[in-house]
């Protein structure tokens, strides 16, 4: 086990006893457990090995402290460690869910909410599918939010998808408000799936309807 991960795990386990009565501590634990899981997954991917067993325990803990993000973390781990030689972005979508004649080369897609690792993975998949560019909009837990800042980021997007389970009411309100006033040229889509593959499937299905 990575020494930093070990230290983090021991420290966080000591905080768990206080978490059940404190939403603030639950949020801290959730964020830190996610960071440990993502860091270990990235290292395992580079070293071409499976993740350490403690990551499974982290997933179980996330189900307790923040059940909305646990599936997202598990999906990121699965996606990151999937062999690229045996699974391409198009194959992962399934032939019934992807129209190979659909030209995405002029489209700009916005991805709002979700953990930054998940957004990065979604963007990577979409670019492989031929999307011209992708815009990321982080939730307030990662970055300062303002209506003008979000409007500037997504103004040229043809489609903006936001991950409802990990977006936050502030960002959701801003996106809905901007969509209602026509502040960006495209459409707004609520993404019920939190995993990378599920989000990409939802987005490409919507694109097929639009184009």
């Amino acid at each position: 086990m990575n020494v930093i991960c070990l230290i983090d795990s021991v420290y966080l386990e000591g905080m768990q006893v206080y978490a059940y009565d404190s939403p603030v501590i639950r949020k801290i634990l959730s964020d830190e457990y996610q960071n440990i899981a993502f860091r270990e997954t990235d290292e395992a991917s580079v070293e071409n090995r499976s993740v350490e067993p403690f990551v499974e325990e982290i997933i179980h803990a996330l189900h307790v402290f923040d059940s909305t993000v646990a599936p997202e973390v598990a999906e990121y781990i699965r996606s990151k460690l999937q062999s690229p030689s045996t699974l391409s972005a198009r194959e992962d979508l399934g032939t019934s869910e992807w129209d190979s004649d659909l030209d995405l080369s002029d489209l700009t897609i916005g991805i709002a909410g979700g953990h930054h690792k998940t957004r990065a993975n979604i963007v990577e998949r979409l670019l492989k599918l031929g999307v011209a560019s992708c815009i990321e909009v982080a939730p307030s837990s990662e970055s300062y939010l303002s209506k003008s800042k979000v409007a500037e980021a997504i103004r040229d997007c043809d489609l903006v998808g936001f991950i409802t389970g990990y977006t936050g009411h502030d960002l959701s309100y801003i996106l809905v408000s901007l969509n209602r006033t026509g502040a960006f040229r495209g459409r707004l889509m609520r993404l019920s799936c939190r995993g990378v593959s599920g989000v990409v499937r939802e987005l490409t299905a919507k694109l097929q309807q639009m184009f």
Side-chain angles (χ1 to χ4, degrees):
M1 181 188 297
N2 181 290
V3 174
I4 295 177
C5 287
L6 176 61
I7 294 172
D8 286 345
S9 297
V10 171
Y11 169 72
L12 293 172
E13 285 174 5
M15 293 180 64
Q16 285 185 188
V17 66
Y18 305 103
Y20 299 101
D21 298 322
S22 172
V24 174
I25 293 180
R26 283 200 299 274
K27 180 65 168 62
I28 292 172
L29 284 169
S30 174
D31 291 344
E32 290 304 317
Y33 276 142
Q34 288 177 69
N35 289 335
I36 292 172
F38 285 129
R39 186 164 64 236
E40 162 60 19
T41 300
D42 290 345
E43 291 177 1
S45 177
V46 171
E47 297 168 6
N48 194 27
R49 60 172 174 81
S50 60
V51 296
E52 296 285 353
F54 74 85
V55 174
E56 184 175 347
E57 296 177 9
I58 286 177
I59 300 298
H60 288 314
L62 285 174
H63 277 290
V64 174
F65 296 122
D66 191 349
S67 61
T68 63
V69 303
E72 182 179 339
V73 176
E75 170 65 13
Y76 179 83
I77 294 170
R78 188 203 67 78
S79 300
K80 189 74 174 180
L81 299 182
Q82 176 67 52
S83 172
S85 63
T86 59
L87 184 64
S88 69
R90 290 175 186 260
E91 288 169 342
D92 191 35
L93 291 174
T95 54
S96 64
E97 299 172 86
W98 174 250
D99 179 0
S100 60
D101 295 328
L102 186 61
D103 184 6
L104 307 178
S105 60
D106 291 329
L107 301 182
T108 297
I109 308 298
I111 304 297
H115 194 281
H116 68 94
K117 293 283 190 179
T118 301
R119 289 197 308 275
N121 229 19
I122 292 168
V123 167
E124 181 182 5
R125 298 279 189 93
L126 291 173
L127 293 177
K128 286 182 179 178
L129 291 173
V131 172
S133 62
C134 294
I135 305 298
E136 294 185 46
V137 181
S140 56
S141 58
E142 292 181 33
S143 176
Y144 168 73
L145 283 179
S146 70
K147 193 171 183 179
S148 60
K149 179 181 177 181
V150 176
E152 176 67 20
I154 66 174
R155 66 179 182 180
D156 294 326
C157 288
D158 298 285
L159 176 64
V160 177
F162 68 99
I163 303 171
T164 56
Y166 198 97
T167 297
H169 296 300
D170 48 0
L171 179 53
S172 296
Y173 174 81
I174 289 173
L175 290 169
V176 171
S177 177
L178 291 173
N179 182 57
R180 186 185 302 119
T181 58
F184 63 100
R185 71 184 188 189
R187 299 186 188 182
L188 182 65
M189 178 182 181
R190 297 173 186 266
L191 299 166
S192 57
C193 291
R194 288 182 289 274
V196 175
S197 299
V199 167
V200 175
R201 276 194 292 269
E202 281 196 64
L203 287 171
T204 51
K206 183 66 174 181
L207 290 172
Q208 288 181 47
Q209 295 175 9
M210 291 171 57
F211 301 101

